[in-house]
Amino acid sequence: MGKDSVSAFSKRDTSVCKGAALILLLTHHLYGGSLPAPMPLLGGDLPRVTATLSKVCVSIFMILSGYGLCRSFEHRGGESTPRFTLRHLMGLMRPYWLIYVLFTLLSIFFGRPGFTPAEVYGTGIRGACQAVIDFLGLWPLFGTCSMCQTWWYMEAAIVMYALFPAVYWAVKKAPYAALPLFALPVLSYFIWGNNVWDTCREIYWFFAFGTGVFLAQRGILDRLARRAGAGSICASGAAVLVCTYIRAKVGLAFDTFYAIAIVVFLQATLCRIPYLSGVFDYLGRRSGDVFLIHSFIYFYLTSQRLFVWLLYGSVPMAAAALPVLLGLSLLCAEGVGLIRRFLTAKQPA
């Protein structure tokens, strides 16, 4: 490993953590992580408990997004703030648009009954408007239909990217006012009862995103990286165990703290293991494409039959569903990557 990887929370560390979050994402969706808090950690439906806890992946991605944008913003050179924001928004949207087009076309021929474009959007002007809104990644904002329900995250990411400059300055100037303000929606969710509202909206993730910005501005993850050793492994591992218990009892409101504990633990352990960290680095660099693709493979396309067979078979078969989904999603992601490189090569210089 290079000097950067041991003296700071590096880009590679971020990618490794994204790779681990990707595994949590697939676990959450594949095994139905929808249990409300409080829930038992032992003695219950262990796959669903694990899948429910795995929703922390959203907070991990949000923290890492805020962290990465902050670092990029502080090293932007002479680039103006509007241009910085637009560039990163386009970097977010271009991969989404390509996958939207490819998998919407696939759904025409291989979509399960009820999940073809005509059935999802409807026809006529209303159907066209719903398709355009989905193409823009804004369907949760308008309450319209989408080819893929897990694409709700796109709207949340778009809002975070668009408002990043305001979040950056608020956290920089008044962090102890801004962060509690960002936490109010998820705190309200806890106060009025877990699972009372749909949390697939941007307001529930401002706290995690703002926390990522705060961690970058204060260099907290860098300092922890420099102190990594046996003591930090034990301390961060204990923190993950404690946070797992609290998250099971408190619910989504605790996810940002749970995510921080996981990221710190991963930086002290997985990020420092040769070869294995390389595997997760690879997964992290393809996590965006896999996120956009995986739901089609296990649910929306006719390939769902394979996962019904696996999930409702024996315990080993159900366990095998996760690596099968990961493998197929990566295969599709590599195919999309080839198409993207071909299209980029065809663009005029």
Side-chain angles (χ1 to χ4, degrees), residues 77-305:
E79 186 178 30
S80 67
T81 299
R83 184 176 178 83
F84 173 90
T85 303
L86 180 60
R87 178 167 61 86
H88 281 81
L89 275 170
M90 292 306 296
L92 176 71
M93 296 306 296
R94 288 192 188 100
Y96 169 69
W97 285 333
L98 176 59
I99 289 173
Y100 174 91
V101 170
L102 291 174
F103 280 84
T104 298
L105 290 174
L106 276 175
S107 296
I108 296 174
F109 304 100
F110 301 106
R112 290 173 49 220
F115 296 104
T116 63
E119 292 172 304
V120 170
Y121 297 133
T123 56
I125 295 177
R126 177 180 173 83
C129 288
Q130 294 203 91
V132 169
I133 291 170
D134 199 17
F135 180 75
L136 295 175
L138 299 176
W139 68 269
L141 183 63
F142 291 91
T144 51
C145 297
S146 175
M147 288 301 300
C148 180
Q149 295 296 308
T150 55
W151 285 351
W152 69 266
Y153 184 86
M154 287 302 301
E155 187 239 7
I158 290 167
V159 171
M160 299 300 165
Y161 276 51
L163 296 181
F164 167 74
V167 172
Y168 176 88
W169 291 114
V171 173
K172 189 175 184 67
K173 299 297 183 182
Y176 303 111
L179 291 177
L181 180 64
F182 296 158
L184 284 179
V186 74
L187 182 61
S188 299
Y189 179 78
F190 167 71
I191 293 172
W192 272 278
N194 287 288
N195 281 27
V196 292
W197 301 303
D198 181 6
T199 57
C200 296
R201 291 302 306 275
E202 71 290 331
I203 61 171
Y204 296 102
W205 308 104
F206 269 106
F207 182 50
F209 185 78
T211 297
V213 173
F214 177 83
L215 293 173
Q217 289 176 347
R218 300 308 191 274
I220 294 172
L221 294 182
D222 288 342
R223 291 200 296 272
L224 291 173
R226 286 191 286 269
R227 296 174 183 173
S232 63
I233 292 173
C234 293
S236 59
V240 170
L241 292 176
V242 171
C243 288
T244 298
Y245 177 81
I246 297 174
R247 198 313 186 171
K249 302 306 176 184
V250 171
L252 193 70
F254 196 72
D255 265 10
T256 296
F257 304 102
Y258 190 22
I260 293 171
I262 292 172
V263 168
V264 172
F265 178 70
L266 290 173
Q267 200 286 328
T269 55
L270 182 59
C271 292
R272 296 173 178 272
I273 301 175
Y275 303 112
L276 184 59
S277 63
V279 171
F280 279 85
D281 176 41
Y282 165 78
L283 294 178
R285 285 184 281 110
R286 284 151 184 80
S287 59
D289 286 345
V290 172
F291 151 68
L292 292 169
I293 291 168
H294 77 280
S295 293
F296 285 93
I297 295 173
Y298 86 92
F299 187 78
Y300 291 106
L301 300 181
T302 52
S303 53
Q304 187 216 26
R305 298 167 188 164

Side-chain angles (χ1 to χ4, degrees), residues 54-89:
S54 295
K55 190 176 177 68
V56 71
C57 64
V58 180
S59 289
I60 295 175
F61 282 124
M62 279 295 179
I63 287 172
L64 296 176
S65 293
Y67 188 92
L69 278 175
C70 182
R71 282 297 178 86
S72 180
F73 187 69
E74 291 175 340
H75 295 87
R76 71 191 187 281
E79 186 178 30
S80 67
T81 299
R83 184 176 178 83
F84 173 90
T85 303
L86 180 60
R87 178 167 61 86
H88 281 81
L89 275 170

